[in-house]
Amino acid sequence: MMHSRIDFHTHILPAIDDGSCSVDESIEMILMEKSQGVDVICLTPHFLAQEQYPEQFLQKRDQSLAILQERLKQESIEVQLVSGAEVMYYPGMSRWEQLPHLTLGSSKYVLIEFPGNRLTDSMLHEVESIYTECGLIPILAHVERYLQPIHAKELLRRLDELPCLLQINASYIIDRHTKKTALNFLKQGRVQLIGSDCHSSTWRKPTMDQVFDILNESLDSSVLDQLSMIGQAILNGRNIL
């Protein structure tokens, strides 16, 4: 089975957040991703409701994407891009009528980031409400940030019960101190998605090639098949919960 290689979390869109500063840098980052074997790149710039209206964000995002796609066309660079956002949590976001416009592509999956390094009861309740009240499927971004040792076991138990998916960053798999834990989460199916969370072509650059090497060396083909099928299902808009 051919495994889809998807980067579910990037900041490659130019001049929209703290990621790529220019179209040139975005092109460089995309070429890096392609050379690392990535087939699909999800573009997930930060959205903070406290700082901008969604209409402004969506307009700026679409303009940035159009400029990037034009350059890709001019340079004959073929790549599959999926537009989305990394939406910062705020209380009551499940009742916000604009949230469906920030999903990955035309799917019902939305990438959610949380402030700080701990998920509170109210945050977890909001995650559930995003699914039950809004009809969207939350993806918790870089969930490893919230797995503090003292709370990790209980948090994982609660996350297992919630209608959401979990994404970890490439660095969590690559770091020798967390590699074993990350691989165990993937084997157990507790984590389903991987993203580079790349912000630059230099200081936080794409490192998905290292991830793919580790996964191929460490995981059974059945686990790789499952991860690939989940990724394709998300991009095709199927509810895998």
Side-chain angles (χ1 to χ4, degrees):
M1 176 180 177
M2 292 293 292
H3 297 133
S4 299
R5 294 185 164 189
I6 307 167
D7 189 344
F8 274 100
H9 185 167
T10 74
H11 296 272
I12 286 178
L13 269 185
I16 187 170
D17 62 3
D18 60 343
S20 170
C21 295
S22 66
V23 178
D24 287 339
E25 183 170 35
S26 296
I27 294 294
E28 185 177 1
M29 293 170 74
I30 287 173
L31 291 176
M32 293 173 72
E33 293 263 61
K34 284 174 62 68
S35 70
Q36 294 173 10
V38 175
D39 303 311
V40 184
I41 301 173
C42 295
L43 305 171
T44 54
H46 292 288
F47 173 74
L48 288 79
Q50 300 90 337
E51 296 184 4
Q52 59 187 147
Y53 291 110
E55 294 82 6
Q56 294 172 322
F57 170 81
L58 292 169
Q59 182 180 25
K60 187 175 181 181
R61 185 192 69 179
D62 292 345
Q63 290 174 344
S64 180
L65 178 59
I67 293 170
L68 178 59
Q69 288 176 324
E70 179 61 27
R71 275 287 300 276
L72 290 169
K73 182 179 179 181
Q74 292 174 1
E75 300 189 21
S76 300
I77 300 172
E78 295 185 3
V79 61
Q80 183 177 347
L81 302 176
V82 178
S83 188
E86 182 182 10
V87 184
M88 177 62 74
Y89 163 86
Y90 61 94
M93 65 187 300
S94 61
R95 299 188 298 274
W96 180 45
E97 62 182 15
Q98 297 289 354
L99 191 59
H101 297 294
L102 298 172
T103 58
L104 293 176
S106 58
S107 76
K108 290 185 177 295
Y109 293 87
V110 58
L111 186 67
I112 308 294
E113 180 181 24
F114 297 87
N117 59 7
R118 186 176 180 187
L119 299 183
T120 65
D121 289 343
S122 60
M123 290 175 181
L124 295 177
H125 178 73
E126 197 70 50
V127 167
E128 185 172 16
S129 295
I130 289 172
Y131 183 76
T132 58
E133 304 297 329
C134 204
L136 302 179
I137 303 171
I139 298 173
L140 277 56
H142 40 60
V143 72
E144 69 273 9
R145 294 186 184 180
Y146 318 116
L147 295 176
Q148 305 302 316
I150 192 172
H151 306 296
K153 188 175 181 178
E154 174 62 15
L155 177 58
L156 282 170
R157 184 192 66 77
R158 297 188 65 182
L159 291 176
D160 285 342
E161 299 172 352
L162 289 177
C164 66
L165 300 178
L166 307 183
Q167 177 257 313
I168 56 175
N169 280 359
S171 56
Y172 193 57
I173 299 173
I174 296 169
D175 190 323
R176 64 184 180 88
H177 297 101
T178 55
K179 173 182 173 181
K180 182 177 179 180
T181 301
L183 290 173
N184 282 336
F185 287 158
L186 292 167
K187 291 175 185 177
Q188 296 164 5
R190 305 184 90 164
V191 169
Q192 301 82 22
L193 310 174
I194 302 167
S196 66
D197 199 5
C198 57
H199 280 63
S200 166
S201 59
T202 53
W203 63 283
R204 285 180 68 179
K205 60 186 179 181
T207 53
M208 294 298 286
D209 53 341
Q210 298 179 57
V211 170
F212 298 140
D213 287 344
I214 292 172
L215 297 186
N216 288 326
E217 292 171 0
S218 307
L219 300 182
D220 292 338
S221 59
S222 60
V223 179
L224 296 174
D225 291 345
Q226 181 71 5
L227 291 172
S228 182
M229 286 188 291
I230 290 173
Q232 281 299 322
I234 291 171
L235 296 182
N236 293 329
R238 298 199 302 273
N239 186 339
I240 62 171
L241 294 183

